[in-house]
Amino acid sequence: MQVMKSVTQVEPTPPSSSSLSLGLNMMRPYEMVHHLVSCNAVVVFSMSDCCMSTVAKRLLFSLGVGPTVVELDEQANGAGIRSVLHQLAGAHQPVPAVFIGGKFLGGVQTLMASHINGTLVPLLKEAGALWL
């Protein structure tokens, strides 16, 4: 799992993560969201104190998925990113926002409904987030 604590502080994955975070720092919120969701199988935009965000992350972890988690309240441009997510979510609550395979899945209700109706695991497999 890669948790974005701040745009300039990404938990180390490959050695070039510092250059990645510097590049993300220079992006506008829309570009940053687009880059993250296109480069990662599963991305969760979250708030660290949001119970619904915790439910979404725990469900994914319990399935064996290691999503990239962006805690918006710990981001310098979190408000801008949240505005982008609000545009994507429409009338729905923008956080948590779950992206699978580069596509916006939705919030916790959509994630849970997909899990219950059996469509979540195939989506995760297709995105390369599960290898089972």
Side-chain angles (χ1 to χ4, degrees):
M1 171 184 82
Q2 181 179 354
V3 178
M4 300 222 20
K5 294 186 178 175
S6 73
V7 176
T8 57
Q9 180 183 13
V10 177
E11 284 188 14
T13 44
S16 63
S17 66
S18 62
S19 62
L20 172 65
S21 62
L22 289 175
L24 290 175
N25 225 0
M26 298 180 153
M27 292 181 184
R28 285 181 268 170
Y30 175 81
E31 294 167 336
M32 183 180 176
V33 170
H34 179 72
H35 177 76
L36 286 169
V37 302
S38 64
C39 294
N40 296 283
V42 180
V43 180
V44 179
F45 290 92
S46 170
M47 297 289 280
S48 59
D49 61 349
C50 171
C51 62
M52 292 299 151
S53 294
T54 301
V55 167
K57 292 181 283 190
R58 286 194 179 182
L59 173 60
L60 291 168
F61 293 139
S62 73
L63 294 171
V65 175
T68 298
V69 176
V70 180
E71 300 291 355
L72 297 174
D73 54 330
E74 298 174 5
Q75 295 291 318
N77 60 348
I81 295 169
R82 193 171 171 138
S83 175
V84 170
L85 298 174
H86 189 70
Q87 291 173 4
L88 288 172
H92 301 287
Q93 180 70 13
V95 175
V98 180
F99 291 80
I100 299 177
K103 296 177 184 162
F104 179 60
L105 178 69
V108 70
Q109 288 111 346
T110 308
L111 181 68
M112 294 300 271
S114 298
H115 178 57
I116 290 167
N117 71 23
T119 60
L120 181 60
V121 170
L123 273 176
L124 294 168
K125 286 181 182 178
E126 185 179 319
L130 286 177
W131 297 275
L132 301 173

